[in-house]
Amino acid sequence: MCLQKSDPIIIVGAGAFGLSTALHLIRNGFTSVSVFDKDDQIPPRYSAANDLNKIVRAEYEDPFYTNLTIKAIAAWKTPLFAPHFHQTGFLHCVSGNAPQKAIDTLKRFQASAEEHAEIRSHVTPLKGQTDIRQACWQLEGPLPGWYGYLNRYDGYAHSANALAAVYRAVQASGVRFHLGEHGAVDEVVYVNTREGKKSSGIRTKDGEFHPASLVIIAAGGSAGQLVPEVGKNVVAKSWSVAHVHLTDEETSALRGIPVTYARDLGFFFEPDPKTNLLKLCPMGGGYINTDPATGVSLAPTSLEESAFIPEQDEKQMRRLLEQTLPTLSDRPLVRKSLCWFADTNDSDFIIDYVPGTTSSVVLLSGDSGHGFKMFPIFGTWVLDLLKAEKQPVTRWQWKKSPSSDGKANWGGDVSWRVGESKEISEILPKRSSRL
Ligand SMILES: Cc1cc2nc3c(=O)[nH]c(=O)nc-3n(C[C@H](O)[C@H](O)[C@H](O)COP(=O)(O)OP(=O)(O)OC[C@H]3O[C@@H](n4cnc5c(N)ncnc54)[C@H](O)[C@@H]3O)c2cc1C
């Protein structure tokens, strides 16, 4: 589309993709950028990136994403992002009980790291417990059957703080923010023009209409509410997150540990020195929230609905701790929640115009649970799209309808996922009877 630098642009969603887009639009001379978010704070509590930390690892099975992450890591080392990037390394293993799928995936990740000219010198193979202890002495658990590799090129980002930093930077550069009840977007508004159906802006839940030449939807697991055309091609999915609250001494003792990841169990991070929280995630197929009427999974609308984790995930987190940091394995788990993201069958992002909108609406979606590492550069790909007639990267184009049998493939075929997705209704905590 032929967009002038002064044309009004609306971004819906102040999460990772929305804020990165605002940053790169403003850095590239666009002067009328407004961001809307339904939460009244940034980082928004609904954002998957409102979290202590996210893994930033360069090696993918697919060199396309490996090369992009190398660029992202270079950008993580620039002044705006560097305070939030921690290059602690990525200790990537399987336990002795790992299924073959997890073992095969680990091998492909390791090969990808070892074969890449930029990464290979940072990689150390770990043949078993002795090697792992040498790489990270704090892992004093039995590590039964564990093996894998350590990649010192990788690490993690403090994602909530990175969102807050970019928010402050773009706000200071003139991006306008509409938050809370004035920022919750109800619908994209369309008009009929000679060229065809076109968006004229958005309407917020308070009834206000906000005009725009271009509307960019970056609504994470809620994208389908505003762009129903995407249908089953984007699946709102969640994974469990929980934390152990440590003492000051325990946090200090674990400083600098690598992100520790067993493909069949889950992973944890260096504890956060401000809150003394050590974050844990179990590995699994995740949970979806399918509307029986449409067959489409959307993120629940309230935070309360996701303020728990299923018992089986809690058990798996404790198993991970027993094998690595056993003194923590019986501690209470705090700040438990299901965290929602937007999944696609093939794990590829969607960065494209919504068809039938005369290039007036762009969808940024399909983060598939691996998008945060791209935060510093994601918005550059949106600029590339705006410059082009159509999305030049085929795999990020709008997806054609799912398989003809009408049944969505919830992504179980993607090699790096272990386990099948379940419906959230199957795992809701049992309420005690009042009788
Ligand atoms: C448990 C978990 C672990 C993850 N771990 C990693 C990792 O280790 N490494 C990694 O790279 N990535 C990871 N990710 C993925 C990463 O968090 C996402 O890729 C990233 O947050 C996607 O950004 P987004 O902008 O699409 O969505 P989000 O960050 O979720 O932001 C969406 C925003 O849209 C807003 N919104 C929604 N609907 C509306 C509306 N109607 N009106 C206004 N605002 C609205 C929400 O409030 C929210 O702020 C993980 C995700 C999860 C869930």
Side-chain angles (χ1 to χ4, degrees), residues 121-435:
S121 63
H122 303 265
V123 181
T124 312
L126 305 169
K127 294 207 179 69
Q129 192 203 65
T130 312
D131 287 356
I132 296 173
R133 288 256 178 74
Q134 211 153 28
C136 179
W137 57 267
Q138 290 96 330
L139 298 179
E140 57 184 15
L143 300 165
W146 279 52
Y147 66 92
Y149 66 94
L150 172 69
N151 184 357
R152 287 260 171 230
Y153 193 86
D154 301 337
Y156 72 92
H158 193 307
S159 51
N161 286 356
L163 290 184
V166 171
Y167 167 56
R168 287 191 298 272
V170 299
Q171 198 183 35
S173 302
V175 172
R176 288 181 292 274
F177 282 83
H178 302 256
L179 302 178
E181 58 177 311
H182 305 300
V185 176
D186 213 16
E187 57 171 347
V188 179
V189 178
Y190 291 98
V191 289
N192 287 318
T193 70
R194 247 183 287 164
E195 300 150 88
K197 186 176 120 176
K198 196 172 184 174
S199 169
S200 56
I202 53 135
R203 195 177 313 284
T204 39
K205 289 216 189 306
D206 59 7
E208 283 285 311
F209 170 70
H210 301 265
S213 301
L214 179 71
V215 175
I216 300 176
I217 305 292
S222 304
Q225 269 145 5
L226 297 170
V227 185
E229 299 91 322
V230 78
K232 294 178 186 172
N233 285 319
V234 170
V235 175
K237 193 179 272 184
S238 59
W239 287 317
S240 295
V241 175
H243 305 78
V244 183
H245 196 221
L246 307 183
T247 62
D248 287 346
E249 290 74 17
E250 287 165 338
T251 296
S252 288
L254 293 176
R255 72 186 175 278
I257 61 165
V259 178
T260 299
Y261 192 138
R263 290 222 69 81
D264 50 313
L265 290 173
F267 54 96
F268 58 84
F269 296 78
E270 177 186 35
D272 173 47
K274 276 220 169 114
T275 57
N276 286 344
L277 290 172
L278 175 141
K279 181 185 136 182
L280 291 151
C281 289
M283 202 57 204
Y287 308 99
I288 55 179
N289 182 38
T290 308
D291 176 347
T294 60
V296 173
S297 170
L298 294 172
T301 46
S302 79
L303 293 167
E304 291 70 31
E305 287 167 90
S306 300
F308 76 99
I309 60 169
E311 212 180 304
Q312 65 177 58
D313 282 353
E314 182 151 343
K315 280 193 184 137
Q316 196 168 313
M317 290 171 176
R318 292 195 185 287
R319 214 172 308 134
L320 173 65
L321 289 172
E322 275 161 22
Q323 298 188 12
T324 51
L325 302 170
T327 54
L328 304 181
S329 66
D330 292 330
R331 296 283 177 87
L333 296 182
V334 298
R335 284 182 45 181
K336 301 189 244 187
S337 67
L338 296 179
C339 174
W340 291 86
F341 61 100
D343 208 7
T344 56
N345 286 350
D346 50 15
S347 229
D348 277 320
F349 306 147
I350 300 173
I351 306 174
D352 205 357
Y353 295 108
V354 178
T357 65
T358 327
S359 303
S360 61
V361 182
V362 166
L363 178 65
L364 310 180
S365 188
D367 71 280
S368 303
H370 65 100
F372 189 77
K373 62 180 72 61
M374 309 296 186
F375 183 47
I377 61 168
F378 189 93
T380 64
W381 305 329
V382 182
L383 286 172
D384 292 345
L385 173 70
L386 299 185
K387 282 182 210 142
E389 287 281 299
K390 58 182 266 203
Q391 174 52 269
V393 181
T394 315
R395 53 174 52 201
W396 291 345
Q397 285 171 359
W398 182 266
K399 290 183 190 300
K400 305 224 163 48
S401 296
S403 57
S404 53
D405 65 2
K407 270 177 80 182
N409 168 4
W410 301 117
D413 291 346
V414 171
S415 68
W416 58 270
R417 295 173 176 138
V418 173
E420 292 299 316
S421 300
K422 283 189 180 160
E423 286 293 341
I424 188 173
S425 53
E426 293 172 36
I427 51 132
L428 283 172
K430 291 188 183 61
R431 308 237 178 263
S432 53
S433 166
R434 291 194 188 171
L435 293 176

